[in-house]
Amino acid sequence: MRTFALVQVSALVAAILVSAVPSPYPNSPFRHRSLAKKGHVPRQSTPKYVVAHHMVGNTYPYTVTDWANDIALASASGLDGFALNVGSDVWQSARVADAYQAAANSGTGFKLFLSFDMSSLPCSSPDDAQALRNYITSYATNPNQLTINGQVFASTFSGETCTFGQGSVPQGWSSQFTSQLTGQNSVMFVPSFFVDPSTFSQYDGVMDGYFNWNGGWPIELTTNSVQSTLGSAAPALGGLGTFSSAVEQTLNQSTGIFSTDAPYLNGLNSISSSSKTYIAAVSPWFFTHYGPNTYNKNWIYLADFHLYPTRWDSLIENRDSVDVVEVLTWNDYGESHYVGPIEGAQPNSQAWVNGFNHTGWLDMTSYYASAYKTGAYPNIAKDKLYMWARPHPKDANSGDSVPKPTNYELDQDTLWVVVMATAPGTVTLSTSNSNSQTFPVDAGVTKLSIPLTPGGYMHGVLERNGGTTIDLQPADYTFNPNPLSYNYNAYVAYASSG
């Protein structure tokens, strides 16, 4: 489970909301531009990796076969490996062993590495560091362990307060972890410490790079920050199913952008490691809904405006600066940003997860992963249609004992659509019998959207040359104006031709 640290939020809000170059609201088709731009040539020689963050804490009932199924699906979807998020449960080491065994059995070369969840693992004594080192030495020579430049790759979630009994955080990590791992156990340590990147020099000799976890979402956008920035141009966002052009522009121009990565990349200049690694995050969604009597987490991050493919486009365009892309996540059900199947053991998130399959986003991943790794968007061999939306109006009321999530006002009641077309055609989107729009689409990727209708549905039809190529209308989706509980998760539907 996660508690997010918001680093330099006020500065990022000012930089993004004030100085960002406006981009058009994507209600009209968006098509990929060439990767080539002045002064930028996509680099082909440096290996690129795409991995997914896998929560071992949600795999209690897993067997080697379950891991094998995940690895096969991930590999077929363009992923090169899993970052294994390891927490403090004593049984998790056995699940990690099963994962490495399944990877070896797969014969795919699928890679794994440890991502220590320091929001869960203890880190106040040297013995706590020994437990981390044991994980590294156990798998250092495993053929499916990810290594970069001959070093064992390892990461974290958090860890910026860990001293391991030493005088400071840098001393703790250096003397008790990185410096004690030598020879074949030498580690390339790329943590996600939630610290100001201008302080990275304090971690010189500890970090070999940085994992920008929070870069997966526009976390700087809050209801208050948007209203403060726009002033009189933005009425109260609550009660508005769709927004004015001024609000849309502010939200859209801040979604999926790469400028939020810049402070962390600049911070790495103060690290003397000869081989610095930058991990950028990409994520399709964020909603968590725990009350004070459980984990006390109840908020959203804005994920509208086609966040997932838009962030991918930004990372592809800036691939020279990114060594690894980490998809957040494979199976973090509690925060609704899973792209893998719903399986294993949920962290009491069934109320907003069950029935909300996200594997459409996983299917979409292979296209963008290929573009990131090769520097060129691949040809589209099969028509595909992806649609996603929340299950009820953002302002709907229910008898839920847990209130609406913080920042829910930023959401719009919108059906978001991505079309991958092999040739030109038309797409008709409908959310009720009286609300329908038809869009021309070219060969390639087009992003579309249409307002949702309370009590309505989602329906998309791709037509070409007088015939229907795809007709997608999930029977189990209704935009319910009277929900029994609050659910700001996404329902994802997809279909392909043939």
Short mmCIF file of all heavy atoms in Angstrom, two decimals, residues 165-210:
data_model
loop_
_atom_site.label_atom_id
_atom_site.label_comp_id
_atom_site.label_asym_id
_atom_site.label_seq_id
_atom_site.Cartn_x
_atom_site.Cartn_y
_atom_site.Cartn_z
N GLY A 165 20.38 2.28 11.23
CA GLY A 165 21.16 2.44 12.45
C GLY A 165 22.37 3.34 12.32
O GLY A 165 23.17 3.46 13.25
N GLN A 166 22.51 4.02 11.17
CA GLN A 166 23.67 4.89 10.95
C GLN A 166 23.28 6.35 11.20
O GLN A 166 22.14 6.67 11.53
CB GLN A 166 24.19 4.70 9.53
CG GLN A 166 24.45 3.26 9.17
CD GLN A 166 25.35 2.53 10.15
OE1 GLN A 166 26.49 2.92 10.38
NE2 GLN A 166 24.83 1.46 10.76
N GLY A 167 24.23 7.26 11.01
CA GLY A 167 24.01 8.66 11.35
C GLY A 167 23.15 9.44 10.39
O GLY A 167 22.66 10.52 10.73
N SER A 168 22.97 8.93 9.17
CA SER A 168 22.17 9.63 8.18
C SER A 168 21.62 8.63 7.18
O SER A 168 22.07 7.47 7.12
CB SER A 168 23.01 10.68 7.45
OG SER A 168 23.98 10.06 6.60
N VAL A 169 20.69 9.08 6.39
CA VAL A 169 20.12 8.20 5.36
C VAL A 169 21.17 7.79 4.33
O VAL A 169 21.32 6.59 4.03
CB VAL A 169 18.90 8.87 4.69
CG1 VAL A 169 18.43 8.07 3.48
CG2 VAL A 169 17.76 9.02 5.70
N PRO A 170 21.94 8.74 3.76
CA PRO A 170 22.97 8.31 2.80
C PRO A 170 23.98 7.35 3.42
O PRO A 170 24.39 6.37 2.78
CB PRO A 170 23.63 9.63 2.38
CG PRO A 170 22.56 10.66 2.57
CD PRO A 170 21.83 10.22 3.80
N GLN A 171 24.40 7.61 4.67
CA GLN A 171 25.36 6.70 5.32
C GLN A 171 24.75 5.32 5.50
O GLN A 171 25.43 4.30 5.34
CB GLN A 171 25.78 7.27 6.68
CG GLN A 171 26.69 8.47 6.60
CD GLN A 171 26.97 9.05 7.98
OE1 GLN A 171 26.50 8.53 9.00
NE2 GLN A 171 27.73 10.14 8.02
N GLY A 172 23.48 5.29 5.86
CA GLY A 172 22.83 4.01 6.07
C GLY A 172 22.79 3.17 4.81
O GLY A 172 23.19 1.99 4.81
N TRP A 173 22.31 3.76 3.71
CA TRP A 173 22.23 3.02 2.45
C TRP A 173 23.61 2.65 1.93
O TRP A 173 23.81 1.56 1.38
CB TRP A 173 21.47 3.82 1.41
CG TRP A 173 19.98 3.77 1.57
CD1 TRP A 173 19.15 4.74 2.03
CD2 TRP A 173 19.13 2.65 1.25
NE1 TRP A 173 17.84 4.32 2.03
CE2 TRP A 173 17.79 3.04 1.54
CE3 TRP A 173 19.36 1.38 0.74
CZ2 TRP A 173 16.70 2.18 1.35
CZ3 TRP A 173 18.28 0.51 0.54
CH2 TRP A 173 16.97 0.92 0.85
N SER A 174 24.57 3.56 2.08
CA SER A 174 25.91 3.29 1.55
C SER A 174 26.64 2.22 2.36
O SER A 174 27.10 1.21 1.81
CB SER A 174 26.73 4.58 1.54
OG SER A 174 28.04 4.33 1.09
N SER A 175 26.72 2.40 3.67
CA SER A 175 27.54 1.50 4.47
C SER A 175 26.88 0.15 4.71
O SER A 175 27.58 -0.86 4.88
CB SER A 175 27.88 2.16 5.82
OG SER A 175 26.71 2.29 6.62
N GLN A 176 25.55 0.11 4.70
CA GLN A 176 24.85 -1.12 5.03
C GLN A 176 24.27 -1.85 3.82
O GLN A 176 23.84 -2.99 3.94
CB GLN A 176 23.74 -0.84 6.04
CG GLN A 176 24.22 -0.24 7.34
CD GLN A 176 25.23 -1.13 8.03
OE1 GLN A 176 24.99 -2.32 8.26
NE2 GLN A 176 26.39 -0.56 8.37
N PHE A 177 24.27 -1.19 2.68
CA PHE A 177 23.66 -1.85 1.51
C PHE A 177 24.61 -1.83 0.32
O PHE A 177 25.24 -2.84 0.01
CB PHE A 177 22.32 -1.18 1.17
CG PHE A 177 21.58 -1.85 0.05
CD1 PHE A 177 21.09 -3.15 0.19
CD2 PHE A 177 21.35 -1.19 -1.16
CE1 PHE A 177 20.40 -3.78 -0.85
CE2 PHE A 177 20.66 -1.80 -2.19
CZ PHE A 177 20.19 -3.10 -2.05
N THR A 178 24.77 -0.70 -0.34
CA THR A 178 25.48 -0.71 -1.63
C THR A 178 26.96 -1.09 -1.48
O THR A 178 27.47 -1.87 -2.30
CB THR A 178 25.37 0.67 -2.32
OG1 THR A 178 25.88 1.68 -1.44
CG2 THR A 178 23.92 0.98 -2.66
N SER A 179 27.65 -0.56 -0.48
CA SER A 179 29.10 -0.83 -0.38
C SER A 179 29.41 -2.25 0.05
O SER A 179 30.53 -2.73 -0.13
CB SER A 179 29.75 0.16 0.59
OG SER A 179 29.31 -0.07 1.91
N GLN A 180 28.44 -2.94 0.62
CA GLN A 180 28.66 -4.33 1.04
C GLN A 180 28.32 -5.34 -0.06
O GLN A 180 28.52 -6.54 0.14
CB GLN A 180 27.82 -4.63 2.29
CG GLN A 180 28.26 -3.83 3.52
CD GLN A 180 27.79 -4.44 4.81
OE1 GLN A 180 27.70 -5.67 4.93
NE2 GLN A 180 27.51 -3.61 5.79
N LEU A 181 27.83 -4.85 -1.15
CA LEU A 181 27.51 -5.73 -2.28
C LEU A 181 28.59 -5.53 -3.35
O LEU A 181 28.61 -4.53 -4.06
CB LEU A 181 26.12 -5.40 -2.83
CG LEU A 181 24.97 -5.72 -1.86
CD1 LEU A 181 23.67 -5.06 -2.34
CD2 LEU A 181 24.78 -7.23 -1.71
N THR A 182 29.48 -6.48 -3.46
CA THR A 182 30.63 -6.35 -4.35
C THR A 182 30.73 -7.57 -5.26
O THR A 182 30.02 -8.56 -5.10
CB THR A 182 31.93 -6.20 -3.53
OG1 THR A 182 32.10 -7.38 -2.71
CG2 THR A 182 31.88 -4.97 -2.64
N GLY A 183 31.65 -7.46 -6.22
CA GLY A 183 31.87 -8.57 -7.13
C GLY A 183 30.62 -8.91 -7.91
O GLY A 183 29.96 -8.02 -8.46
N GLN A 184 30.26 -10.18 -7.94
CA GLN A 184 29.08 -10.59 -8.70
C GLN A 184 27.78 -10.07 -8.08
O GLN A 184 26.73 -10.08 -8.73
CB GLN A 184 29.01 -12.11 -8.80
CG GLN A 184 28.78 -12.81 -7.47
CD GLN A 184 28.75 -14.33 -7.61
OE1 GLN A 184 29.14 -14.88 -8.65
NE2 GLN A 184 28.28 -15.02 -6.58
N ASN A 185 27.86 -9.61 -6.84
CA ASN A 185 26.68 -9.05 -6.16
C ASN A 185 26.61 -7.54 -6.26
O ASN A 185 25.68 -6.93 -5.69
CB ASN A 185 26.69 -9.44 -4.68
CG ASN A 185 26.64 -10.94 -4.48
OD1 ASN A 185 25.90 -11.64 -5.15
ND2 ASN A 185 27.46 -11.44 -3.54
N SER A 186 27.54 -6.92 -6.96
CA SER A 186 27.54 -5.47 -7.10
C SER A 186 26.21 -4.99 -7.66
O SER A 186 25.68 -5.56 -8.62
CB SER A 186 28.68 -5.03 -8.02
OG SER A 186 28.66 -3.64 -8.21
N VAL A 187 25.66 -3.96 -7.04
CA VAL A 187 24.30 -3.56 -7.35
C VAL A 187 24.27 -2.21 -8.06
O VAL A 187 25.03 -1.29 -7.73
CB VAL A 187 23.43 -3.51 -6.07
CG1 VAL A 187 23.90 -2.41 -5.13
CG2 VAL A 187 21.96 -3.33 -6.40
N MET A 188 23.42 -2.11 -9.09
CA MET A 188 23.06 -0.82 -9.67
C MET A 188 21.76 -0.41 -8.98
O MET A 188 20.71 -1.00 -9.21
CB MET A 188 22.87 -0.90 -11.18
CG MET A 188 22.36 0.42 -11.77
SD MET A 188 22.35 0.46 -13.57
CE MET A 188 24.09 0.76 -13.88
N PHE A 189 21.86 0.59 -8.12
CA PHE A 189 20.76 0.96 -7.23
C PHE A 189 20.06 2.20 -7.75
O PHE A 189 20.65 3.28 -7.81
CB PHE A 189 21.32 1.19 -5.83
CG PHE A 189 20.27 1.40 -4.77
CD1 PHE A 189 19.19 0.54 -4.66
CD2 PHE A 189 20.39 2.45 -3.86
CE1 PHE A 189 18.23 0.73 -3.68
CE2 PHE A 189 19.45 2.63 -2.88
CZ PHE A 189 18.36 1.78 -2.78
N VAL A 190 18.81 2.02 -8.14
CA VAL A 190 18.02 3.10 -8.75
C VAL A 190 16.72 3.24 -7.96
O VAL A 190 15.67 2.71 -8.34
CB VAL A 190 17.74 2.81 -10.24
CG1 VAL A 190 17.04 3.99 -10.89
CG2 VAL A 190 19.05 2.51 -10.98
N PRO A 191 16.77 3.94 -6.83
CA PRO A 191 15.61 4.00 -5.93
C PRO A 191 14.61 5.08 -6.33
O PRO A 191 14.91 5.96 -7.14
CB PRO A 191 16.25 4.34 -4.59
CG PRO A 191 17.41 5.22 -4.97
CD PRO A 191 17.94 4.64 -6.27
N SER A 192 13.45 4.99 -5.71
CA SER A 192 12.48 6.07 -5.77
C SER A 192 12.39 6.68 -4.38
O SER A 192 11.51 6.35 -3.58
CB SER A 192 11.10 5.56 -6.21
OG SER A 192 10.18 6.64 -6.30
N PHE A 193 13.36 7.54 -4.07
CA PHE A 193 13.33 8.30 -2.82
C PHE A 193 12.50 9.56 -3.06
O PHE A 193 12.76 10.29 -4.02
CB PHE A 193 14.74 8.71 -2.39
CG PHE A 193 15.63 7.58 -1.95
CD1 PHE A 193 17.00 7.75 -1.86
CD2 PHE A 193 15.11 6.34 -1.60
CE1 PHE A 193 17.84 6.73 -1.45
CE2 PHE A 193 15.93 5.30 -1.18
CZ PHE A 193 17.31 5.49 -1.12
N PHE A 194 11.55 9.82 -2.20
CA PHE A 194 10.71 11.01 -2.38
C PHE A 194 11.38 12.21 -1.72
O PHE A 194 11.03 12.63 -0.61
CB PHE A 194 9.31 10.74 -1.84
CG PHE A 194 8.60 9.67 -2.61
CD1 PHE A 194 8.42 8.41 -2.06
CD2 PHE A 194 8.15 9.89 -3.90
CE1 PHE A 194 7.79 7.40 -2.77
CE2 PHE A 194 7.53 8.89 -4.62
CZ PHE A 194 7.34 7.65 -4.06
N VAL A 195 12.37 12.74 -2.44
CA VAL A 195 13.16 13.87 -1.96
C VAL A 195 13.24 14.92 -3.07
O VAL A 195 12.99 14.64 -4.24
CB VAL A 195 14.59 13.44 -1.56
CG1 VAL A 195 14.54 12.45 -0.41
CG2 VAL A 195 15.35 12.84 -2.74
N ASP A 196 13.58 16.13 -2.67
CA ASP A 196 13.79 17.21 -3.62
C ASP A 196 14.98 16.84 -4.51
O ASP A 196 16.07 16.54 -4.01
CB ASP A 196 14.08 18.49 -2.84
CG ASP A 196 14.16 19.73 -3.73
OD1 ASP A 196 14.59 19.61 -4.89
OD2 ASP A 196 13.81 20.81 -3.24
N PRO A 197 14.81 16.82 -5.83
CA PRO A 197 15.92 16.40 -6.70
C PRO A 197 17.14 17.31 -6.61
O PRO A 197 18.24 16.90 -6.99
CB PRO A 197 15.31 16.41 -8.10
CG PRO A 197 14.09 17.25 -8.00
CD PRO A 197 13.58 17.08 -6.60
N SER A 198 16.97 18.53 -6.08
CA SER A 198 18.14 19.40 -5.90
C SER A 198 19.05 18.89 -4.79
O SER A 198 20.18 19.38 -4.65
CB SER A 198 17.70 20.83 -5.61
OG SER A 198 17.07 20.92 -4.33
N THR A 199 18.58 17.91 -4.03
CA THR A 199 19.41 17.33 -2.95
C THR A 199 20.05 16.01 -3.36
O THR A 199 20.64 15.33 -2.51
CB THR A 199 18.55 17.09 -1.69
OG1 THR A 199 17.58 16.04 -1.94
CG2 THR A 199 17.83 18.35 -1.26
N PHE A 200 19.96 15.64 -4.62
CA PHE A 200 20.51 14.35 -5.06
C PHE A 200 22.00 14.22 -4.75
O PHE A 200 22.49 13.10 -4.56
CB PHE A 200 20.28 14.16 -6.55
CG PHE A 200 18.91 13.64 -6.90
CD1 PHE A 200 17.93 13.46 -5.95
CD2 PHE A 200 18.59 13.34 -8.23
CE1 PHE A 200 16.66 13.00 -6.29
CE2 PHE A 200 17.33 12.87 -8.58
CZ PHE A 200 16.37 12.70 -7.61
N SER A 201 22.73 15.33 -4.70
CA SER A 201 24.17 15.25 -4.45
C SER A 201 24.46 14.59 -3.10
O SER A 201 25.53 14.00 -2.89
CB SER A 201 24.79 16.64 -4.49
OG SER A 201 24.21 17.49 -3.51
N GLN A 202 23.51 14.67 -2.15
CA GLN A 202 23.70 14.04 -0.85
C GLN A 202 23.74 12.51 -0.96
O GLN A 202 24.24 11.84 -0.07
CB GLN A 202 22.57 14.44 0.10
CG GLN A 202 22.49 15.93 0.39
CD GLN A 202 21.29 16.29 1.25
OE1 GLN A 202 20.72 15.42 1.92
NE2 GLN A 202 20.89 17.55 1.22
N TYR A 203 23.19 11.99 -2.08
CA TYR A 203 23.13 10.56 -2.27
C TYR A 203 24.18 10.06 -3.26
O TYR A 203 24.09 8.93 -3.74
CB TYR A 203 21.73 10.16 -2.74
CG TYR A 203 20.65 10.54 -1.75
CD1 TYR A 203 20.04 11.79 -1.80
CD2 TYR A 203 20.28 9.67 -0.74
CE1 TYR A 203 19.07 12.16 -0.88
CE2 TYR A 203 19.31 10.02 0.19
CZ TYR A 203 18.72 11.27 0.12
OH TYR A 203 17.77 11.64 1.04
N ASP A 204 25.16 10.91 -3.55
CA ASP A 204 26.25 10.48 -4.42
C ASP A 204 27.00 9.34 -3.74
O ASP A 204 27.34 9.40 -2.56
CB ASP A 204 27.19 11.66 -4.67
CG ASP A 204 28.15 11.39 -5.82
OD1 ASP A 204 27.87 10.49 -6.63
OD2 ASP A 204 29.18 12.09 -5.91
N GLY A 205 27.22 8.28 -4.49
CA GLY A 205 27.81 7.08 -3.93
C GLY A 205 26.78 6.09 -3.43
O GLY A 205 27.14 4.97 -3.04
N VAL A 206 25.52 6.50 -3.44
CA VAL A 206 24.43 5.61 -3.07
C VAL A 206 23.59 5.28 -4.29
O VAL A 206 23.42 4.13 -4.66
CB VAL A 206 23.53 6.25 -1.98
CG1 VAL A 206 22.34 5.35 -1.69
CG2 VAL A 206 24.33 6.51 -0.72
N MET A 207 23.08 6.33 -4.94
CA MET A 207 22.21 6.13 -6.09
C MET A 207 23.02 6.04 -7.38
O MET A 207 23.97 6.78 -7.58
CB MET A 207 21.22 7.31 -6.24
CG MET A 207 20.31 7.52 -5.07
SD MET A 207 18.90 8.62 -5.45
CE MET A 207 19.67 9.95 -6.37
N ASP A 208 22.61 5.14 -8.24
CA ASP A 208 23.16 5.06 -9.61
C ASP A 208 22.15 5.60 -10.62
O ASP A 208 22.35 5.46 -11.83
CB ASP A 208 23.49 3.62 -9.95
CG ASP A 208 24.57 3.05 -9.04
OD1 ASP A 208 25.68 3.60 -9.04
OD2 ASP A 208 24.28 2.09 -8.31
N GLY A 209 21.09 6.17 -10.14
CA GLY A 209 20.04 6.71 -10.99
C GLY A 209 18.82 6.99 -10.14
O GLY A 209 18.89 7.01 -8.90
N TYR A 210 17.68 7.20 -10.80
CA TYR A 210 16.47 7.56 -10.06
C TYR A 210 15.25 7.01 -10.77
O TYR A 210 15.17 7.00 -12.00
CB TYR A 210 16.35 9.08 -9.93
CG TYR A 210 15.21 9.49 -9.03
CD1 TYR A 210 15.30 9.32 -7.65
CD2 TYR A 210 14.03 10.02 -9.55
CE1 TYR A 210 14.26 9.67 -6.80
CE2 TYR A 210 12.97 10.37 -8.72
CZ TYR A 210 13.09 10.20 -7.34
OH TYR A 210 12.05 10.53 -6.52
#
